[in-house]
Each structure stands twice: as C-alpha cells, then as structure tokens.
Amino acid sequence: MSGGAHPVDKTCVSCGRTITWRKKWERDWDQVRYCSAACRRRGVGEVDHELEDAIGALLDQRARDATICPSEAARQVARDRGLEEWRDLMEPARRAARRLVAAGEIEMVQQGRVVDPSAARGPIRIRRASRGGYRLV
C-alpha cells in the first residue's frame, strides 16, 4: 500500500466485531474473515443462526421502535432446544446481535443511544435499524 492508506475495516463473520487492518495482513487482507483464532475455530453454527432468527422473530412481535434484550433470544433458543441453562447462550446471542448490526438489520442501543457493537460493554438493547438504513460502521 502506498502513501500509508489502509483498507477499510471489516466485520468478523463469527463475532461481528470490527477487524482493523494490520500490517501482518497486508498480503492477504482480502481473505481475512475472522478477528482471531478463537473466532475461526468457533465459526457460525446452527445455534448462532437460531439466535439470529429468534432476535428477528422477537422484534417482529414488537412495535417498530421497541427494543429487546439479547437474553430474550437466549431464553427462547434454550427453551426450543430443551436446555435448562439459557445463560450459556448470552455471549452467542450478543455475537448474533453484532452480526445483525453488521448486516444493517438491527441497531444496538444503550440508554436509548446507538452504540458501536464492538465497543459496547454492559447491558444492551436491540431494535430494528432506522428506516433511513442508518448503520453504525
């Protein structure tokens, strides 16, 4: 790359976090899909897709501007799978939400404000993306 310009950031296909260009990826930046070895191993499985679907279904049942907590999706998928412990699905539910943010389908909010899903810490809420197609990148 000449002039110090770096390619545009990407989104990890597994966790939905932002992947920032690094010098070590200069030769194969086009093939980079995961932010870490852990995400590469984890990938996106059946439960991940179920959580994405659950988030969509829960939002479809609510008013257009209503929010849900990722725990609602985790509980629904745990119930559907006959699992007793839904808390094990909380981080996968947050990953599913981040992937949906990257796809432009939803927004992640804290205290009513849209937040960067890669930087959000603590309790979050999820809502459908604004009509204007606004997407935090």
Side-chain angles (χ1 to χ4, degrees):
M1 305 237 129
S2 62
H6 300 297
V8 176
D9 291 344
K10 296 181 176 188
T11 301
C12 177
V13 298
S14 177
C15 72
R17 287 192 169 96
T18 301
I19 305 172
T20 303
W21 184 88
R22 295 180 191 157
K23 177 75 173 161
K24 70 178 185 176
W25 290 331
E26 186 172 27
R27 291 184 182 183
D28 60 353
W29 179 245
D30 292 338
Q31 287 74 42
V32 173
R33 297 181 58 217
Y34 301 99
C35 65
S36 66
C39 280
R40 187 177 309 107
R41 278 191 307 276
R42 184 183 309 115
V44 180
E46 187 178 330
V47 169
D48 298 306
H49 292 296
E50 289 175 28
L51 286 162
E52 290 174 8
D53 292 343
I55 289 169
L58 288 164
L59 288 171
D60 287 345
Q61 296 169 6
R62 309 280 170 90
R64 177 86 176 117
D65 58 345
T67 64
I68 65 164
C69 178
S71 67
E72 295 177 62
R75 289 173 193 199
Q76 180 177 318
V77 170
R79 192 171 38 252
D80 293 348
R81 290 182 150 255
L83 303 175
E84 289 185 28
E85 188 51 57
W86 59 270
R87 287 178 184 84
D88 294 340
L89 295 177
M90 275 304 297
E91 183 51 34
R94 289 175 70 101
R95 286 194 303 266
R98 286 191 298 265
R99 287 191 304 273
L100 291 171
V101 168
E105 295 182 32
I106 66 169
E107 295 171 332
M108 198 174 279
V109 296
Q110 287 182 316
Q111 298 178 343
R113 291 186 301 262
V114 176
V115 295
D116 176 356
S118 293
R121 300 289 181 263
I124 60 165
R125 302 288 294 178
I126 302 165
R127 69 180 179 204
R128 288 280 180 209
S130 302
R131 292 187 187 267
Y134 172 75
R135 181 175 131 199
L136 185 63
V137 179

